[in-house]
């Protein structure tokens, strides 16, 4: 009898606690932290696309420099760090496995291969709309007090870093003369294949080879023979 | 002199009070009172104070518009085309309702909440209409914030200890569809119309008791279309606390 009385006494707080716990669990679940627990390997995204009008068996050779292009916002440079040499070697290996032949630097080839390390960085400023102005226009402003930057200014920086592998059609390129407009679309080199490798850990030497292998594995149309 | 006046006054009072006591007994023989006057369960006429008629007649819940609020936790079962996007049960749902109870069986209310569901798919290839083939681990999320008005019919009076009901809610829901490919997000945020019939029961244990429990099954139909979802249907089973007052 006595125990049932106690349990009755505690029933209501217990129910409230269970409810609060349930709500707590529920509210901590949200879109913003949905991918916080992704492993680096699971975070990797391989995006491939190609020109549907192209028959890739018409190409037999490819030209691939030993360095990669570093694209930093609108600036371009070349780099040949160990990890970059590794990705170039792996791309060459995959293309060779598909039946294409790499030509020496400077020799003409059917395909131009560009490996780019994209390193874009964007900086912006935002204001916190919920920060109160408080005494922003309070007494004393303009009477010899120095201005200060309110704390509700927030700076954000977005870094977008990924690998890009492109195949360019050199075989069917337009023969340029001094009078051709190099910027006209029909006179530009045509990108017929592109792969973007994104995610965490993509600049680690341990993960490079698998990324490239997987990207080519989902691009079955890349082969020198039908 | 003074003493004689006081004595006369006391005598007069005694007489008056004696007459007052005698008055009810005049003419009729008093029925013997079966229970002492101090019994709180009986009224002056010996009738039991507690009976259904008196409570019905006297309850404020039955005479005025009264209030009811409830806070519930729920699990959501995706139905229909929602299952094309996320097929797992959602364990993260909270609901808040406010109702205006009319003296009879009807109520009008407002409801809102927070409903979240998530499912992770193993790495797979997806080809988009734009031509890209994407290999990624997908983390599919859907957040729903309903904002609806409701009308309910209760099968018992507003002060009853157990109150089963049928309800229909209509309004809309803020939808946040975010499908992560790795860490890249495909996001669509929209306010879509919604309609949601429900059945439920409120259990207070005693008549007129304020705090009680409530369980409800609500079939939510949100007119939302995006990618895999062609009308988001969801069966929400919820349980929680309810409170009525005036």
């Amino acid at each position: 009898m006595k125990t049932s009385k106690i349990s009755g006494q505690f029933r209501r707080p217990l129910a409230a606690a269970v409810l609060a716990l349930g709500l707590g669990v529920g509210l901590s679940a949200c879109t913003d932290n949905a991918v916080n627990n992704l492993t680096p390997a699971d975070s990797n995204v391989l995006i491939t696309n190609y020109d549907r009008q192209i028959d890739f068996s018409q190409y037999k050779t490819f030209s691939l420099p030993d360095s990669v292009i570093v694209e930093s916002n609108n600036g371009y440079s070349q780099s040949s760090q160990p990890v970059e040499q590794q990705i170039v070697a792996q791309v060459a290996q995959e293309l060779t496995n598909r039946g294409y032949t790499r030509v020496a630097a400077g020799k003409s080839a059917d395909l131009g291969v560009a490996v780019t390390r994209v390193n874009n960085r964007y900086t912006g400023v935002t204001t916190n709309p919920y920060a109160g102005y408080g005494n922003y226009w309070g007494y004393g402003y303009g009477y010899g007090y120095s201005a200060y930057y309110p704390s509700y200014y927030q700076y954000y920086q977005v870094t977008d870093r990924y690998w890009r592998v492109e195949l360019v059609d050199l075989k069917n390129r337009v023969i340029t003369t001094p009078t051709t407009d190099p910027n006209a679309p029909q006179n530009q080199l045509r990108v017929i294949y592109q792969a973007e490798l994104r995610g965490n850990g993509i600049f680690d030497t341990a993960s490079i080879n698998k990324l490239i292998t997987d990207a080519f594995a989902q691009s079955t149309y890349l082969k020198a023979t039908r | 002199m003074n003493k004689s006046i006081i004595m006369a006054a006391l005598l007069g009072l005694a007489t008056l009070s004696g007459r007052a006591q005698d008055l009810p007994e005049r003419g009729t023989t008093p029925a013997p009172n079966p229970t002492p006057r101090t019994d709180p369960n009986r009224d002056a006429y010996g009738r039991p104070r507690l009976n259904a008629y008196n409570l019905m007649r006297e309850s404020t819940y039955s005479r005025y518009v009264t209030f009811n609020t409830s806070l519930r936790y729920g699990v959501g079962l995706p139905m229909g085309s929602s299952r094309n996007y996320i097929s797992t049960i959602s364990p993260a749902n909270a609901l808040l309702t406010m109702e205006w109870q009319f003296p009879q069986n009807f109520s009008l209310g407002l409801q809102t909440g927070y409903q979240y569901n998530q499912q992770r798919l193993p790495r797979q290839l997806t080809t988009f209409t734009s031509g890209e083939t994407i290999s990624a681990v997908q983390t599919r999320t859907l957040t729903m914030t309903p904002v609806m008005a409701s009308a309910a019919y209760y099968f018992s009076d507003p002060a009853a200890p157990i109150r089963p009901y049928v309800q229909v809610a209509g309004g809309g829901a803020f939808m946040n569809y975010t499908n992560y490919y790795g860490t890249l997000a495909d996001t669509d945020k929209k306010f879509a119309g919604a309609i949601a019939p429900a059945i439920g029961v409120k259990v207070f244990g005693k008549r007129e008791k304020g705090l009680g429990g409530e369980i409800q099954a609500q079939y939510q139909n949100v007119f939302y279309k995006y990618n895999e979802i062609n009308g988001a249907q969801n069966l929400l089973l919820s349980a929680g606390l309810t409170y009525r007052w005036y």
Side-chain angles (χ1 to χ4, degrees), chain B residues 122-200:
Chain B
R123 184 171 289 278
Q124 63 184 39
L125 289 179
T126 312
T127 301
F128 285 77
T129 47
S130 53
E132 289 115 338
T133 301
I134 295 189
S135 162
V137 172
Q138 288 183 39
T139 308
R140 297 178 162 187
T141 71
L142 188 68
T143 311
M144 228 179 96
T145 309
V147 180
M148 294 195 279
S150 64
Y153 178 83
Y154 286 85
F155 296 100
S156 57
D157 70 276
I162 296 176
R163 304 199 72 209
Y165 63 88
V166 290
Q167 184 191 67
V168 63
F174 291 97
M175 304 294 283
N176 180 347
Y177 169 110
T178 302
N179 189 358
Y180 290 95
Y181 294 85
T183 54
L184 304 174
D186 174 11
T187 300
D188 181 61
K189 291 180 183 179
K190 220 174 271 168
F191 184 78
I195 188 157
I199 55 167

Side-chain angles (χ1 to χ4, degrees), chain A residues 12 15-16 19 22-23 26-27 29-32 34-35 37-38 41-49 52 198 200 218, chain B residues 71 73 92 94 114 116 118 120 123 125 130-135 137 139 141 143 178 180-182 184 209 211 240:
Chain A
R12 195 178 293 172
L19 188 75
L23 290 177
L27 295 175
C30 70
T31 296
D32 290 340
V35 291
N37 60 348
L38 271 183
D42 279 350
S43 77
N44 291 342
V45 182
L46 313 176
I47 308 168
T48 54
N49 204 351
R52 301 299 199 269
R198 291 170 170 272
N200 301 326
Q218 73 186 53
Chain B
L71 183 63
Y73 164 80
Y114 176 86
Y116 176 76
Q118 173 181 329
R120 180 159 294 163
R123 184 171 289 278
L125 289 179
S130 53
E132 289 115 338
T133 301
I134 295 189
S135 162
V137 172
T139 308
T141 71
T143 311
T178 302
Y180 290 95
Y181 294 85
L184 304 174
K209 190 163 173 257
L211 189 70

Side-chain angles (χ1 to χ4, degrees), chain B residues 218-236:
Chain B
Q218 187 180 50
Y219 188 80
Q220 304 174 320
N221 195 351
V222 186
F223 305 106
Y224 175 78
K225 286 183 184 182
Y226 189 72
N227 290 358
E228 305 89 347
I229 300 177
N230 184 8
Q233 287 107 24
N234 189 34
L235 177 63
L236 189 67

